[in-house]
Amino acid sequence: PCALGLATPTAIIVGVGKGAREGILVKDAATLEKLHKVNVVVVDKTGTLTKGKPELASLNNLSKQSDAEIIAILASLENKSEHPIAHAIISYAKEKNIGLLPVEQFGMMKGKGISGVINGVKYFVGSAKLAEEHSASLASLEKETSEGKTPVILVVENTVLAIAMIADQIKPEAVSAVKALHSLGIKVVMLTGDDKNTARFIADQVGIDEVVAEVLPEDKLNLIKDLQSGKFENWKLKIGNSSQGLVVAMAGDGVNDAPALAQADVGIAMATGTDVAIESAGITLLHGDISKLVKAIRLSKITMRGIKQNLFW
């Protein structure tokens, strides 16, 4: 009986130790055990597939204010946000020595954007969805978004003041990671709150099977639940037999990924992401290196093989 009791923990300890050396931090044995059964990996876009260090590519100023004034308003509002896209605008303002303005009544609209009052004027900053909600008419952004850029729109009283285009580079290891996941027979789904054209552009470059874009944080959670229960027809996903639930791993790095990471069979956080994402996940990948996800799955398979071998002996 002693040997039986040692067979499993010995293999798990070796597996967790090997993972740590490779920059894969495993929170508990159950996570390592579940990982070898995963047949679909859901990945967030910004900060997971892309570097999460976006830059301001262009500013289309539609107001009578100067570009510097528009950047000051955008940067002041974004300064209170944790989203990686916010850093692009703040760092641009710092580069150009544009000072920030005091913001009152700051508010966040999950998955849509932010709002705040500057000098008595209420501004909204966010996605095209947010602009539509404030019935602000938008020119087509098809060309820019199909080049992988993300629009950040500044709105005041049903009027679009400016559209900032943010570009984020793909992580060089993302392409090889997706290829390796495919070779293990695992489907990959990109899940993002970003514009659908931008998402499709990134997915095509990385070689991802399916894209679900323009989703709110609660949609991320619902998609994971639907994949687990096999009810994903509504999402128009072609990933195997829908009558059977899938074993889902979710990789993300943001505050809005946390509920989905907690719901997934295996939550995988990027160490470069937010604390709440890391806390919700069972595995953390150091340096936010997505290629370590493939190593983690292989490690899980080897560990399970080790357990069975130990039990046999």
Side-chain angles (χ1 to χ4, degrees):
C2 299
L4 280 176
L6 285 168
T8 303
T10 310
I12 295 279
I13 288 163
V14 171
V16 170
K18 275 193 172 160
R21 277 200 294 278
E22 289 282 343
I24 301 158
L25 307 182
V26 183
K27 208 176 267 184
D28 52 32
T31 302
L32 193 61
E33 190 185 337
K34 275 184 216 157
L35 196 54
H36 83 290
K37 295 180 189 157
V38 164
N39 44 24
V40 61
V41 172
V42 176
V43 286
D44 174 46
K45 181 181 77 68
T46 309
T48 305
L49 290 173
T50 62
K51 288 182 179 172
K53 288 185 182 156
E55 292 166 357
L56 183 67
S58 65
L59 177 72
N60 182 5
N61 186 352
L62 306 168
S63 69
K64 290 176 181 156
Q65 290 164 285
S66 69
D67 285 4
E69 284 171 318
I70 290 291
I71 292 291
I73 294 166
L74 277 169
S76 306
L77 289 162
E78 294 285 19
N79 196 34
K80 293 183 177 289
S81 166
E82 275 200 341
H83 200 282
I85 282 176
H87 301 307
I89 294 166
I90 297 157
S91 50
Y92 181 82
K94 277 182 187 159
E95 260 173 50
K96 302 287 177 197
N97 295 323
I98 296 170
L100 299 182
L101 308 163
V103 177
E104 295 165 345
Q105 298 169 35
F106 178 80
M108 286 182 84
M109 290 146 286
K110 269 190 184 171
K112 291 177 198 163
I114 53 175
S115 66
V117 175
I118 297 175
N119 298 332
V121 181
K122 183 154 194 179
Y123 295 97
F124 295 90
V125 178
S127 61
K129 202 179 272 183
L130 182 81
E132 281 164 27
E133 273 184 22
H134 291 274
S135 50
S137 60
L138 266 178
S140 172
L141 303 170
E142 198 88 16
K143 182 181 174 289
E144 290 90 344
T145 53
S146 62
E147 290 166 0
K149 293 172 188 162
T150 301
V152 173
I153 299 153
L154 177 64
V155 179
V156 63
E157 288 178 0
N158 311 345
T159 311
V160 174
L161 293 185
I163 301 165
M165 280 295 170
I166 311 291
D168 194 1
Q169 300 297 313
I170 289 169
K171 287 183 180 176
E173 66 272 14
V175 180
S176 56
V178 170
K179 254 189 201 149
L181 286 170
H182 284 155
S183 69
L184 290 170
I186 294 168
K187 293 276 187 189
V188 185
V189 178
M190 184 211 278
L191 184 59
T192 176
D194 211 337
D195 179 273
K196 59 177 183 294
N197 292 334
T198 309
R200 189 70 264 175
F201 175 82
I202 302 283
D204 288 345
Q205 283 195 305
V206 180
I208 280 177
D209 305 300
E210 301 281 344
V211 177
V212 181
E214 296 178 13
V215 292
L216 298 172
E218 53 269 29
D219 296 333
K220 291 188 176 187
L221 176 64
N222 293 335
L223 174 67
I224 302 289
K225 283 183 179 169
D226 287 349
L227 287 169
Q228 287 168 327
S229 60
K231 297 175 186 156
F232 48 84
E233 304 91 349
N234 313 345
W235 300 89
K236 302 186 178 76
L237 297 176
K238 300 179 190 72
I239 41 175
N241 182 358
S242 64
S243 60
Q244 295 165 317
L246 298 163
V247 182
V248 184
M250 159 88 186
D253 74 330
V255 172
N256 57 3
D257 298 323
L261 287 170
Q263 174 63 37
D265 296 282
V266 180
I268 298 151
M270 304 291 135
T272 46
T274 57
D275 293 348
V276 67
I278 293 166
E279 192 53 46
S280 308
I283 290 179
T284 303
L285 305 180
L286 290 186
H287 316 300
D289 183 348
I290 188 80
S291 66
K292 288 190 167 71
L293 167 55
V294 185
K295 285 184 180 168
I297 292 170
R298 289 200 177 118
L299 178 72
S300 171
K301 287 180 188 292
I302 293 165
T303 306
M304 293 314 292
R305 202 164 65 219
I307 289 171
K308 284 168 188 163
Q309 247 173 6
N310 290 353
L311 288 168
F312 170 77
W313 284 117

